[in-house]
Structures are given as structure tokens and as C-alpha cells.
Amino acid sequence: MSQQSTSTIFGEAGGMVDLSHLKASTQQHLKRVYFALSLCTAVGAATAALSVFFSSGNNNLFHFAPFLGLILLFLLRSSRVNSAQQPTDRWLYLLGFGATTGFGITPLVSLVVAGIDPMLPISAFVMTAIVFGSFTMAALKAPSFQYLALQGVLGASVIGLFVVGLMNMFMFIPFMFSVMLWGGLILFSLFVLYDTQRIIARHESGDMDFLTHAADLFVDFAAIFRRILIILAQNSNNNNRSKNSQGKNKRR
């Protein structure tokens, strides 16, 4: 396959993402990464949707999902296979991680669907795809690995948000929650830039483990989705309260 024939991995329409500056092997690796990411995301979304539909109201099991997801992610990372051909068990680890992530987010989705607006999760998913896609394209189109310089800033930001989260556990302050919410959204959006270019750099150094790379991007996608959904739910809830308040005032 020629370099020109694989110069765009997101289709030929308009040449939105010209990847001619990347090696043909790197472009093929990215195709594998985004195929695996798409499957993992689809499994996570389907699991969340089915869990919401069949939920009995007892959410105790949902609290174990993140722990199980961490185990599956650990198994995926600890069984690295540096090959374009990945064994079935590693595929199952990745898809299982996607399923447990979807299962773990079910209580939030259920709360939004039942109490605010059943269409908000779909809107949040679409907005997440737009945000993720935009930052991905920015990283892919960059002529150099300039976003790898974000590593120090991202690391410090993660620590900062962790400290804010601990403080917010003991003294709940709305401002701190907003910092965690919007700061986390910005942080994981920047992680898309960093992780995308890190995947390219690692592959060009010989790393062919596209399943682990897909898992890294899925973590970013899920984190962005969760925060966008909360933001939309808050805005919708505030709008509903404002409308109800205006209605009461008119009656008076």
C-alpha cells in the first residue's frame, strides 16, 4: 500500500486529516488503534444503555465496576504483546474494561434519564465525540510532537485536582466542585492531545501494542463524557428550576 493511498485515515472527504507526514506503518497502526477504540466505546455505551434499561434500582453492584475495570486494565497492560496481531484474551480485557466502565457510569446516567432529561446522555455522547475528535485532529495534524511537552503540566494538574477532590470530600464547596468538573474536562481534553502524539511517538519507536493505546484513549473519552453529562444535567436542572420559579411568580 502506497504512502499516498493511506494519507488519510478518516476518509477522503475534504482531506480533513492529512497524514502524509506520518509513515505508512504508523497510519496503519492508528487505524488499528481507532478500530479497537470504537469497539471498546460501543461496548461501553451498550452496557450502560442496557444497565439503565434493566436496572432494578439496587445500585450496590455498580460500585464494584470501577474496581473490576482496574483489574482488567492491569491485565491488559501486564500482558503486552508487541505485535499487530493481538491474542483473543487481550481483546477480551479491553472490551471487558469498556463494559465495566459503562456499567460503572450507569448510576449517573440513570439519575439523569429518570430525573432530568432522557435525551441528555445522547447529547453528551455526541458532544464528547466532537470534543474528542477535534483534539484528536489537532494532534494528528501537528507537524511535530509539540504536545508531548504537556506531560509536566498534565501531571501537576492531575495532582492538583486530586488534592481539590480530597478537600471537597471533607468540606463541600460548590466552587471546588466546579473546579474539579471544568478543570477535569479541560485536563482530559488536553490528555487527548498528549496521548495521541505519545501513541505515534511510541509506535515510531517500535511499540505495536494498539490495544493498550486504545485503552489510553478510551480512558480520556469516558472521562470527558462523564463531565459533559454532569455539566449538561446541571444546566438543564437550573433551567427547569428557573422556569418553575417564573411560573409560580406569574400565578401570584
Side-chain angles (χ1 to χ4, degrees):
M1 184 176 290
S2 66
Q3 174 78 14
Q4 185 176 3
S5 64
T6 58
S7 61
T8 305
I9 65 170
F10 291 106
E12 298 296 329
M16 291 179 61
V17 185
D18 181 14
L19 301 181
S20 59
H21 60 288
L22 299 178
K23 299 176 182 177
S25 60
T26 302
Q27 296 173 31
Q28 291 299 319
H29 179 73
L30 290 174
K31 287 183 179 181
R32 298 186 188 99
V33 169
Y34 289 111
F35 174 73
L37 173 62
S38 298
L39 286 181
C40 186
T41 304
V43 169
T47 302
L50 291 174
S51 298
V52 169
F53 184 76
F54 291 106
S55 176
S56 61
N58 183 4
N59 293 334
N60 292 331
L61 293 177
F62 297 129
H63 300 308
F64 294 99
F67 178 71
L68 180 57
L70 287 176
I71 294 177
L72 291 171
L73 185 59
F74 172 78
L75 291 174
L76 178 66
R77 292 185 179 278
S78 62
S79 61
R80 294 177 68 94
V81 176
N82 194 31
S83 171
Q85 302 296 326
Q86 293 292 321
T88 303
D89 59 338
R90 300 197 75 236
W91 275 102
L92 293 177
Y93 295 151
L94 176 66
L95 298 181
F97 176 57
T100 54
T101 301
F103 194 67
I105 205 173
T106 296
L108 173 61
V109 177
S110 297
L111 181 64
V112 171
V113 169
I116 302 178
D117 186 347
M119 294 302 296
L120 280 186
I122 297 177
S123 299
F125 188 88
V126 172
M127 293 179 66
T128 300
I130 293 173
V131 171
F132 185 89
S134 299
F135 280 87
T136 296
M137 282 192 272
L140 291 175
K141 294 179 70 173
S144 63
F145 295 130
Q146 62 195 56
Y147 297 119
L148 293 182
L150 292 172
Q151 180 177 8
V153 174
L154 294 176
S157 299
V158 169
I159 295 174
L161 285 180
F162 178 75
V163 172
V164 172
L166 285 179
M167 294 174 60
N168 200 45
M169 287 176 61
F170 297 100
M171 46 180 183
F172 181 77
I173 301 176
F175 174 74
M176 284 188 178
F177 181 78
S178 296
V179 169
M180 291 178 57
L181 188 60
W182 287 97
L185 177 59
I186 296 172
L187 176 63
F188 282 101
S189 296
L190 293 177
F191 259 116
V192 175
L193 289 174
Y194 173 76
D195 285 336
T196 301
Q197 290 205 334
R198 186 171 66 92
I199 288 169
I200 296 173
R202 289 179 67 99
H203 178 264
E204 293 186 352
S205 298
D207 188 351
M208 301 176 67
D209 183 9
F210 64 91
L211 292 184
T212 297
H213 296 166
D216 292 338
L217 293 177
F218 178 71
V219 170
D220 299 337
F221 188 95
I224 293 171
F225 170 78
R226 182 185 295 271
R227 284 155 179 81
I228 288 180
L229 179 58
I230 293 174
I231 291 171
L232 291 180
Q234 284 185 332
N235 291 339
S236 179
N237 195 38
N238 290 336
N239 290 336
N240 290 338
R241 288 181 178 177
S242 178
K243 291 179 180 179
N244 292 336
S245 177
Q246 292 176 359
K248 291 180 180 179
N249 292 333
K250 288 181 179 180
R251 294 192 196 105
R252 292 175 184 176

